[in-house]
């Protein structure tokens, strides 16, 4: 087993080895996961607080922003940020500048929620878009608190084509804002995931049925995004275990194996798995995830249920190249330094995770505070 202490006595030393993902060098392997915080203006413009929040966490090897909707129809939760207007890009640019000023790197996560939405959140009370008109047994967060998701409508081919263009426009605005790259969110039961998995996709056209057809929308989105941003600066997030938002497939290893085989030759920045969203993944499920990950030859990021010791061991075993941390980064803006020193971690206040003011957002102390 690899020693977890280097010559200077730093515990879990491999967490602090640089990682090169194509032309981007990450200074460490303690990455910040995308974290929905519901603190933007109602029109999707980030608030000024976000400059402080992200800037405080710039010591992460890479920050992946909170999920950011690519269009008005992509919104699924109250006060989440957007990347579909010039104003959005202008405010995101200030956040990117704050991260860069502190020596950090930041990718924007591109998001369309699909059926995980509510009519009160969408333009003119529209019904959510989805591959098929199947309501998710799930909830979303509205002005009234948590409510069941609304009945969706099956997207027309024209609407699919428009959404592909929305991804392209969002990528263009991300470039304008100065992001180092983008992550395409195809996980956790949102729109791209809904097209992939047969529990939510019952289409009979070229976007449904066979594995190849169900992958078509994702393939078109990636083609469009990489027209704007080099593939070397585009990551993707998947969740093959289907642990969120009523998503499931009759043969997940088959569909996700095909997806990864499609992704591998593209030269993407990384593949990012939600490995254990609920903390209940079985050994068999974990083995499936490892088989799937082994089909990708680029950088692989793990997520779910990690602490410093587990992350270090998984890196040493060659199972992951880096790990994204969520709740720990919420409460510990200087998480890499705390891991390096073996320092005590702040405990997150779950009551402040979604919505609110700067309390529980920018006021967690760093060690030198």
């Amino acid at each position: 087993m690899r020693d977890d202490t280097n010559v200077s006595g730093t515990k879990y030393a491999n967490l602090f080895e640089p990682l090169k993902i194509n032309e981007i060098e990450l200074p460490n392997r303690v990455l910040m996961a995308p974290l929905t915080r519901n603190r933007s203006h109602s029109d999707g413009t980030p608030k000024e607080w976000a400059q402080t929040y992200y800037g405080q966490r710039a010591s992460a090897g890479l920050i992946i922003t909170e999920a950011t909707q690519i269009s008005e129809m992509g919104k699924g939760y109250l006060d989440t940020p957007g990347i579909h207007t010039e104003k959005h890009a202008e405010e995101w640019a200030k956040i990117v500048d704050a991260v860069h000023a502190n020596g950090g790197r930041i990718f924007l996560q591109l998001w369309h929620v699909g059926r995980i939405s509510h009519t009160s959140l969408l333009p003119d009370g529209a019904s959510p878009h989805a591959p098929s008109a199947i309501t998710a047994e799930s909830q979303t967060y509205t002005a009234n608190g948590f409510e069941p998701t609304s009945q969706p409508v099956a997207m027309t081919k024209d609407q699919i084509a428009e959404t592909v263009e929305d991804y392209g426009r969002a990528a263009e605005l991300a470039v304008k804002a100065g992001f180092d790259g983008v992550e395409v969110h195809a996980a956790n039961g949102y729109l791209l995931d809904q097209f992939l998995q047969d529990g939510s996709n019952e289409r009979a056209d070229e976007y449904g049925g066979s594995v190849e057809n169900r992958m078509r929308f994702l393939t078109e989105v990636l083609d469009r995004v990489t027209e704007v941003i080099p593939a070397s600066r585009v990551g993707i997030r998947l969740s093959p275990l289907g642990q969120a938002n009523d998503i499931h497939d009759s043969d997940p290893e088959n569909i996700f194996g095909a997806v990864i085989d499609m992704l591998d030759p593209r030269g993407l920045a990384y593949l990012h798995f939600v490995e254990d969203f609920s903390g209940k993944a079985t050994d068999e499920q974990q083995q499936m995830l490892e088989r799937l990950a082994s089909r990708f030859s680029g950088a692989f990021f793990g997520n779910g249920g990690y602490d410093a010791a587990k992350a270090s061991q998984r890196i040493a075993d060659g199972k992951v190249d880096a790990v994204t941390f969520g709740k720990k980064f919420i409460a510990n803006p200087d998480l890499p330094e705390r891991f390096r020193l073996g320092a005590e971690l702040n405990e997150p206040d779950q009551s402040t995770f979604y919505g609110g003011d700067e309390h529980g957002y920018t006021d967690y102390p760093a060690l030198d505070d």
Side-chain angles (χ1 to χ4, degrees):
M1 182 184 297
R2 179 176 179 160
D3 189 354
D4 67 5
T5 305
N6 69 12
V7 291
S8 65
T10 299
K11 202 173 185 184
Y12 311 128
N14 59 357
L15 296 181
F16 307 99
E17 295 173 352
L19 174 65
K20 189 159 186 170
I21 54 171
N22 299 321
E23 68 268 29
I24 302 171
E25 185 163 301
L26 310 185
N28 63 64
R29 300 172 188 234
V30 181
L31 316 184
M32 181 171 165
L35 296 159
T36 294
R37 304 303 308 275
N38 304 91
R39 282 174 167 84
S40 294
H41 292 289
S42 59
D43 68 350
T45 306
K47 290 182 178 177
E48 188 174 348
W49 306 332
Q51 298 170 39
T52 302
Y53 171 75
Y54 283 109
Q56 289 172 333
R57 290 156 177 80
S59 64
L62 174 68
I63 293 173
I64 307 168
T65 71
E66 62 204 285
T68 303
Q69 58 252 10
I70 60 161
S71 67
E72 287 186 296
M73 283 303 301
K75 182 176 181 178
Y77 300 85
L78 188 71
D79 295 341
T80 50
I83 188 68
H84 51 89
T85 71
E86 294 289 338
K87 185 178 179 183
H88 294 159
E90 289 169 6
E91 291 305 310
W92 274 117
K94 297 173 185 177
I95 295 166
V96 171
D97 288 347
V99 171
H100 286 167
N102 289 340
R105 294 143 185 83
I106 183 167
F107 274 38
L108 177 71
Q109 191 186 60
L110 302 178
W111 187 38
H112 191 303
V113 300
R115 66 180 186 166
I116 308 301
S117 189
H118 191 272
T119 55
S120 67
L121 300 168
L122 298 175
D124 301 318
S127 297
H129 285 177
S132 302
I134 303 171
T135 305
E137 293 294 327
S138 187
Q139 291 186 319
T140 189
Y141 188 61
T142 74
N144 296 320
F146 285 99
E147 292 190 74
T149 56
S150 297
Q151 169 76 34
V153 295
M155 296 172 73
T156 66
K157 291 179 187 178
D158 283 346
Q159 288 169 336
I160 291 172
E162 290 167 5
T163 303
V164 170
E165 287 306 308
D166 289 337
Y167 274 97
R169 172 63 173 159
E172 290 168 357
L173 290 170
V175 170
K176 183 172 286 191
F179 282 98
D180 298 296
V182 298
E183 177 178 281
V184 174
H185 192 355
N188 294 347
Y190 296 118
L191 184 64
L192 292 171
D193 203 14
Q194 292 161 27
F195 270 84
L196 292 176
Q197 304 209 45
D198 60 19
S200 49
N201 185 345
E202 295 182 350
R203 300 178 73 95
D205 62 6
E206 61 264 43
Y207 291 95
S210 70
V211 165
E212 292 74 19
N213 283 355
R214 285 183 278 139
M215 288 168 44
R216 191 180 309 278
F217 183 33
L218 174 59
T219 301
E220 291 176 351
V221 166
L222 288 171
D223 287 345
R224 184 67 183 91
V225 169
T226 55
E227 287 177 1
V228 178
I229 301 175
S232 60
R233 291 179 176 266
V234 177
I236 187 167
R237 196 180 209 206
L238 301 174
S239 54
L241 297 186
Q243 297 170 312
N245 288 319
D246 192 29
I247 198 75
H248 56 90
D249 189 85
S250 59
D251 190 352
E253 188 161 6
N254 184 40
I255 180 65
F256 285 99
V259 168
I260 293 167
D261 290 346
M262 176 271 290
L263 296 173
D264 191 55
R266 289 174 173 265
L268 297 177
Y270 61 81
L271 172 63
H272 182 193
F273 268 8
V274 179
E275 297 174 289
D276 197 359
F277 189 88
S278 65
K280 298 177 182 178
T282 65
D283 289 344
E284 183 179 354
Q285 287 176 318
Q286 291 290 358
Q287 290 165 10
M288 182 189 76
L289 290 178
E290 290 186 8
R291 289 193 299 272
L292 289 170
S294 70
R295 296 167 77 153
F296 189 75
S297 57
F300 175 67
F301 299 167
N303 170 266
Y306 280 89
D307 57 15
K310 181 179 177 182
S312 179
Q313 188 61 61
R314 294 272 290 170
I315 291 170
D317 291 343
K319 302 298 185 184
V320 301
D321 293 296
V323 171
T324 63
F325 293 88
K327 294 177 184 178
K328 290 181 176 62
F329 253 119
I330 286 178
N332 298 276
D334 54 351
L335 185 63
E337 181 70 358
R338 288 176 187 263
F339 281 170
R340 189 180 69 82
L341 298 176
E344 184 177 352
L345 300 184
N346 299 323
E347 286 295 320
D349 178 359
Q350 190 163 344
S351 69
T352 64
F353 281 1
Y354 303 113
D357 54 20
E358 293 179 272
H359 173 58
Y361 190 58
T362 60
D363 60 353
Y364 283 105
L367 283 170
D368 57 9
D369 291 340

